[in-house]
Amino acid sequence: MKMYGNWRSAAAFRVRIALNLKGIAYEEVFLDLDAGDQHKPDFLAINPQGAVPALFDGDGPPLTQSLAILDYLEETRPGVPLLPKEPRARARARSLAQVVACDTHPLYVPRVRTFLMENYGLPRERMLEFLRNAFITGLKTLETRLSNEAGTGRFCQGDAVSHADLCLISLWVGTGIFGIDTAAYPTVKRISEEVLALDAVARAHPLRQPGAPAS
């Protein structure tokens, strides 16, 4: 497999974790998003949206959108499952994942931040307020659900890692990068620490990838 990604991409982080957990060998080509590599013709021919990740698995067109890629990996490499078998538990794991990947993450991606500043003259500090609100809204939702719903265990759904945890940790790591106060989210913190302790996750961490700033 070959994946196009970037060190700071939360979506690429999720896929990187899944590949590691499932023991799938892959090559990652890192695009420089600040330099605009994602908008160059060669990459737009791969993904017209100009976004990472994009995953190639043998012949055929690339796979894009992190949740679609996670589902593809689950269906084609089920040996290490990342979704529960029971339908209701499976739906809950996907629901929690979508809180991050569908409702929270899209609000703070670079193209949204840049659009707000360049087209509406939004000062950087006001843009950061918008970004922080996106994080806080997602974290509040996750904390409320994870602390009150019976399905929560060691991880988001029971005691096995699922897509929900991959999405949760992609949001949690972002709180450190963007300086979000996380004191009000103890359940999210507990589960995130469990996830970060996994070797497959540690190896996929954004700050351990080429191009990341030195810690």
Side-chain angles (χ1 to χ4, degrees):
M1 288 193 183
K2 179 178 181 179
M3 181 172 81
Y4 287 83
N6 174 268
W7 72 267
R8 73 181 183 206
S9 166
F13 182 27
R14 295 169 206 142
V15 175
R16 200 179 297 126
I17 296 170
L19 291 166
N20 288 349
L21 286 170
K22 288 178 175 287
I24 301 170
Y26 66 98
E27 171 195 0
E28 186 165 3
V29 177
F30 289 88
L31 301 184
D32 186 341
L33 302 185
D34 292 325
D37 286 356
Q38 70 275 32
H39 302 307
K40 292 179 179 178
D42 286 353
F43 185 69
L44 290 177
I46 293 171
N47 183 5
Q49 190 179 20
V52 295
L55 181 75
F56 285 89
D57 181 19
D59 296 331
L63 299 159
T64 61
Q65 295 294 336
S66 65
L67 293 186
I69 294 172
L70 294 183
D71 279 341
Y72 171 81
L73 295 175
E74 190 68 7
E75 292 166 5
T76 60
R77 274 80 170 180
V80 179
L82 295 178
L83 282 173
K85 290 183 178 180
E86 196 276 317
R88 192 173 186 89
R90 198 176 183 92
R92 180 175 180 269
R94 282 179 161 145
S95 173
L96 290 166
Q98 289 172 20
V99 169
V100 176
C102 299
D103 293 333
T104 305
H105 179 213
L107 295 176
Y108 65 82
V109 294
R111 64 179 176 272
V112 171
R113 305 200 307 263
T114 301
F115 183 84
L116 290 174
M117 290 190 291
E118 292 184 352
N119 292 275
Y120 290 97
L122 199 66
R124 178 174 172 79
E125 187 52 43
R126 293 299 305 278
M127 181 276 293
L128 290 174
E129 289 177 13
F130 176 86
L131 179 152
R132 292 185 191 107
N133 180 69
F135 268 93
I136 290 168
T137 300
L139 288 166
K140 282 182 177 178
T141 299
L142 291 166
E143 180 64 28
T144 300
R145 292 191 58 186
L146 292 169
S147 62
N148 288 287
E149 294 178 359
T152 305
R154 178 186 173 195
F155 297 106
C156 288
Q157 176 59 50
D159 295 328
V161 176
S162 72
H163 290 178
D165 301 290
L166 275 54
C167 290
L168 178 82
I169 203 60
S170 71
L171 183 68
W172 182 257
V173 167
T175 65
I177 293 172
F178 292 106
I180 309 298
D181 184 356
T182 58
Y185 318 109
T187 312
V188 172
K189 179 181 179 182
R190 175 186 67 77
I191 295 172
S192 295
E193 289 176 347
E194 290 275 5
V195 177
L196 282 172
L198 301 172
D199 177 69
V201 178
R203 288 187 285 114
H205 195 290
L207 295 181
R208 293 186 64 177
Q209 308 311 308
S215 56

